[in-house]
Amino acid sequence: MEKKIWKAVEPPELKFDVAASYAKHDEHEVLPIVRQLKEMGIRVYDRKDMAVDNWGKNLVEHLPRIFREVGYSLVFISKHYVTEVLAKVERQAVQSLDVELDGEFLLPIRLDDTELPGLLPTVQHLDLRLHGVDTICQAVAQKLAQHRSAFTPQTPVNAESVSALLRERPLGWEYLLYTAVVWQGWRDLEGKYRDHFHRYAPLNGVVEYGDGLDDIHKRNVMLTELITVARETLSDDAQKELFGGHGDPDDIIHFGRLFVRIFDDFLEWARGIYGTSYARRTTRDACRLQACFADTQLRAMHKAVLHLRASADTLVERVVTGDEIDTSIDMKAVETSMEAPLGFEIDPELKTAYLAAYKKLSG
């Protein structure tokens, strides 16, 4: 694997790009990584290099100050790391700062299967036994590139932030950009999403005085079309074309916004029903049950958004190590069927309740 020379990260107050935290017993495994990182131009804090500076200092007090001058801490997990006294002092300082910084300061690298106290099992890690020195060093370099671009799912997507991301182009930048667009769009829709499952929408001024059967039939057709459009627009082929080869940032942003727009289309479809006033109780009951037909689609898309967000912080590690990045939603959850009179699959209990209410309306 070609080695890339790394230029020191910003902001300038950081004295080191990464710190290596490991047990003395594991030096033979860790030091090759430390040496290669230094050869790549990455500034590494290694306590072996700081022996004179640390001489006579209370490391319980001194290490937390040191780690505040570090971008990330590489924690090499082993049975020796969790028991060795000095390693334990380092670990406590690293974990404390990781909590304070809301995660991602601690980058775990496994040397064996020992569990690290306080580390959630869901935190993505690398494994020296599987990935090797070169892969781990390149993952560190890419993580620093992502850090330098200062781009996260919360970063506003504008010309300046996208330009900074493209200057660094960390591995997986396409997915990070896509996630940012989708996540921020979801945040704008979150209130409407929660309203939907509270079965609420502001009154829209529309009043239905009759049985509403024509509108019910029209809405069934509209929802079936919405589902079809979602399946076609967000298809696997469309996503492979978008993320395959050299990604176009404008296309990625547009596709992310399409995802959000389709999400909003489902919300608006149901919102029109909840916001309508009904003169007849039977009409109201049937229509509000019909609005629940969007539940499956909305939950599938919400699940996809949360999956993207959960994966965003570990994109670099996963791409470097060859893991597949899944940006798709499970379109099986929104598949259509021709089962009359609905035109799409819904929860069986909801279907039974709706059909009973529909029967009352149609006589």
Side-chain angles (χ1 to χ4, degrees):
M1 182 181 294
E2 180 184 357
K3 297 179 183 178
K4 295 183 179 181
I5 301 301
W6 170 254
K7 295 182 179 180
V9 301
E10 296 177 354
E13 62 266 18
L14 291 182
K15 189 174 180 180
F16 301 96
D17 298 318
V18 296
S21 181
Y22 56 92
K24 183 176 178 58
H25 190 278
D26 299 321
E27 284 184 354
H28 65 289
E29 293 187 89
V30 175
L31 291 184
I33 295 175
V34 171
R35 284 194 294 269
Q36 184 161 317
L37 289 174
K38 290 179 179 179
E39 290 171 2
M40 295 168 67
I42 294 173
R43 301 171 299 172
V44 182
Y45 171 83
D46 179 6
R47 64 171 179 266
K48 284 177 64 65
D49 300 332
M50 306 297 291
V52 174
D53 185 65
N54 292 339
W55 189 12
K57 293 180 180 178
N58 181 350
L59 294 183
V60 173
E61 298 177 354
H62 181 60
L63 285 177
R65 291 195 290 268
I66 290 292
F67 288 131
R68 288 186 181 279
E69 298 178 325
V70 173
Y72 296 101
S73 179
L74 309 178
V75 173
F76 294 86
I77 303 171
S78 72
K79 62 182 180 180
H80 305 291
Y81 185 72
V82 299
T83 57
E84 192 175 285
V85 174
L86 184 54
K88 187 179 294 187
V89 173
E90 281 190 349
R91 171 172 62 84
Q92 290 171 344
V94 170
Q95 288 181 312
S96 176
L97 188 55
D98 188 62
V99 171
E100 184 179 328
L101 297 177
D102 198 23
E104 209 185 342
F105 172 70
L106 188 163
L107 302 180
I109 301 170
R110 290 198 171 279
L111 304 181
D112 60 31
D113 294 325
T114 302
E115 295 296 325
L116 184 68
L119 182 67
L120 295 175
T122 53
V123 174
Q124 182 81 8
H125 64 271
L126 298 182
D127 192 319
L128 184 58
R129 297 167 297 179
L130 301 175
H131 302 131
V133 173
D134 286 345
T135 298
I136 287 175
C137 289
Q138 287 302 318
V140 172
Q142 290 296 327
K143 193 73 171 179
L144 291 169
Q146 187 184 77
H147 176 81
R148 184 168 180 169
S149 72
F151 197 96
T152 73
Q154 291 83 20
T155 301
V157 179
N158 53 40
E160 183 180 357
S161 65
V162 173
S163 177
L165 180 66
L166 295 180
R167 279 198 302 270
E168 298 298 333
R169 287 183 182 262
L171 291 178
W173 69 266
E174 304 97 325
Y175 304 105
L176 187 61
L177 179 58
Y178 177 63
T179 300
V181 175
V182 170
W183 178 254
Q184 290 168 41
W186 148 251
R187 296 297 292 175
D188 291 338
L189 297 179
E190 185 175 8
K192 290 170 70 172
Y193 179 83
R194 295 186 185 280
D195 284 349
H196 174 83
F197 288 98
H198 285 293
R199 312 308 177 191
Y200 166 81
L203 294 180
N204 56 25
V206 177
V207 178
E208 172 59 67
Y209 290 100
D211 58 23
L213 286 174
D214 285 345
D215 286 337
I216 287 174
H217 295 155
K218 289 177 183 177
R219 285 193 295 263
N220 278 344
V221 174
M222 289 172 62
L223 183 57
T224 302
E225 180 64 18
L226 280 176
I227 294 170
T228 302
V229 168
R231 293 173 62 196
E232 293 174 348
T233 305
L234 304 175
S235 68
D236 288 343
D237 287 342
Q239 295 186 62
K240 287 176 182 177
E241 183 177 349
L242 183 73
F243 295 109
H246 300 287
D248 183 321
D250 291 333
D251 284 345
I252 291 169
I253 292 171
H254 183 74
F255 194 79
R257 288 173 177 166
L258 276 179
F259 180 103
V260 174
R261 197 173 303 154
I262 290 170
F263 200 148
D264 194 30
D265 285 343
F266 283 113
L267 287 168
E268 286 296 323
W269 177 87
R271 203 170 178 84
I273 299 173
Y274 288 132
T276 297
S277 301
Y278 302 92
R280 296 170 56 176
R281 180 72 185 189
T282 51
T283 304
R284 184 180 191 273
D285 290 346
C287 289
R288 290 178 71 84
L289 283 168
Q290 184 188 34
C292 298
F293 294 172
D295 289 4
T296 299
Q297 290 73 38
L298 291 171
R299 286 194 175 105
M301 299 190 79
H302 180 223
K303 181 180 179 181
V305 172
L306 296 182
H307 172 74
L308 283 172
R309 179 64 186 90
S311 301
D313 290 338
T314 58
L315 279 175
V316 166
E317 296 91 326
R318 295 172 66 188
V319 174
V320 168
T321 57
D323 288 355
E324 182 177 349
I325 305 300
D326 180 16
T327 62
S328 64
I329 69 170
D330 181 7
M331 296 311 295
K332 293 179 180 178
V334 295
E335 287 209 9
T336 61
S337 73
M338 298 306 294
E339 188 168 358
L342 304 178
F344 41 83
E345 294 179 356
I346 60 173
D347 177 83
E349 292 184 6
L350 173 60
K351 179 177 177 179
T352 299
Y354 167 76
L355 290 176
Y358 181 90
K359 186 176 181 180
K360 287 183 181 179
L361 278 182
S362 57

